[in-house]
Amino acid sequence: MSSNLMAPVENGQFVETETQASLKNKSKTGMQSGMDKEAFLQLLVAQMQYQDPLQPTSNTEYISQYAQFSQVEQIQNMAANTELSRASSLVGKEVWVKTTSSSGATNSIQGRVDYVVYENGKAYLAINESLYSLDDLDTVVDGTYLAAYNKAYDFTKDLNKLPVLAGVDLTDAENIDKLEATYNEMNDYEKSFLAKDTVERLKQYIEKLKEVRHAAEAGDDENGDDDNKTEGPSEEGTTPEGTAPEGTGGSGQA
């Protein structure tokens, strides 16, 4: 697993990843704000090496300091176990992590935690095939919440693609019908992510489409009536078939 934490190489030089830069910044801050067990042990050894030979430190004081050192080590081990347990509980969840580059720029990455790597006392989250320190974790998102949020976002985006209300015609019917069906399929929780103005706009488009369809159907009916009209009366001077002209006998006599 150690190879996953190595920096990539470009043009023969190592490239610092976002996580490495972020961890470096955090390490500098940690060194300034506190000590780890290694620093504590070095201070204890230095105290023994440079103590005053005329007033040496008593065995009781050494035992007390050693006990303090043991407590520090146990606390750090407990913290490490807690960090690993916390990181493991995030597997399968959607999270946001924020990394800080060496220049101080902050980047946000969102994705699903696939697995956890524990290396050199640090927990790393695998997101989109990249490793990020647990220290960079910013937000944990519930899957149901994220799905509802994304659905409402896509719905609003598609609604905004429609033309202005006055410009709606039959070419927009398919998109409006699709939005109406999507809204009707949403549950109450998903609908709560939609703004009231968005829902009101949808209703206006649905009513406008009804008007457009009604006008189109009325136009089709008028065109149909015109086509079905019968021809006018016969031209003057003609007689219906089977009748004799006025002034002649039916038998053909003069």
Side-chain angles (χ1 to χ4, degrees):
M1 288 296 184
S2 299
S3 59
N4 291 334
L5 304 180
M6 294 178 62
V9 177
E10 293 182 3
N11 298 325
Q13 295 182 347
F14 288 106
V15 178
E16 186 178 58
T17 63
E18 293 181 348
T19 295
Q20 289 172 334
S22 185
L23 286 176
K24 184 182 295 183
N25 292 336
K26 287 182 172 60
S27 298
K28 292 180 180 178
T29 305
M31 291 177 62
Q32 295 172 356
S33 60
M35 294 191 309
D36 57 10
K37 65 179 183 180
E38 296 297 331
F40 183 87
L41 183 59
Q42 290 177 5
L43 288 175
L44 181 60
V45 171
Q47 180 184 3
M48 295 175 63
Q49 183 177 359
Y50 297 105
Q51 65 178 328
D52 187 352
L54 300 178
Q55 295 180 345
T57 303
S58 64
N59 293 335
T60 303
E61 292 179 358
Y62 279 128
I63 293 175
S64 176
Q65 292 176 358
Y66 180 77
Q68 293 177 12
F69 168 75
S70 299
Q71 290 178 355
V72 170
E73 186 175 22
Q74 291 176 4
I75 291 173
Q76 288 187 339
N77 290 337
M78 290 176 59
N81 291 333
T82 302
E83 183 179 70
L84 178 59
S85 176
R86 178 190 173 203
S88 300
S89 67
L90 297 174
V91 174
K93 294 186 178 180
E94 292 286 335
V95 299
W96 269 275
V97 294
K98 287 186 177 180
T99 60
T100 304
S101 64
S102 55
S103 62
T106 301
N107 298 319
S108 295
I109 296 94
Q110 181 261 326
R112 180 176 178 270
V113 179
D114 297 321
Y115 57 90
V116 173
V117 175
Y118 198 68
E119 185 76 17
N120 297 326
K122 299 292 296 183
Y124 296 87
L125 308 176
I127 303 171
N128 300 329
E129 300 183 358
S130 298
L131 293 178
Y132 300 92
S133 170
L134 183 62
D135 295 335
D136 292 331
L137 179 65
D138 181 71
T139 307
V140 181
V141 187
D142 176 70
T144 304
Y145 172 93
L146 184 63
Y149 175 86
N150 289 336
K151 192 171 187 178
Y153 176 82
D154 292 338
F155 181 91
T156 304
K157 183 174 65 174
D158 291 339
L159 184 65
N160 291 335
K161 291 180 180 179
L162 294 176
V164 294
L165 201 62
V168 171
D169 56 30
L170 290 178
T171 60
D172 304 307
E174 182 179 355
N175 293 331
I176 296 176
D177 288 339
K178 183 178 179 181
L179 286 170
E180 182 181 9
T182 301
Y183 179 78
N184 292 333
E185 292 171 358
M186 287 182 176
N187 55 41
D188 293 339
Y189 179 71
E190 292 171 336
K191 289 179 179 178
S192 67
F193 284 77
L194 296 174
K196 293 181 179 180
D197 292 343
T198 300
V199 178
E200 184 60 29
R201 286 178 57 206
L202 174 64
K203 293 179 180 179
Q204 292 175 355
Y205 277 109
I206 293 174
E207 292 301 320
K208 181 64 176 179
L209 181 59
K210 289 180 180 179
E211 296 176 4
V212 171
R213 280 173 167 161
H214 180 73
E217 291 173 358
D220 290 341
D221 292 341
E222 291 179 1
N223 293 333
D225 291 342
D226 292 341
D227 293 338
N228 293 328
K229 287 181 180 179
T230 58
E231 295 182 358
S234 302
E235 294 182 1
E236 186 177 356
T238 61
T239 58
E241 184 179 357
T243 62
E246 185 179 354
T248 62
S251 59
Q253 298 179 355

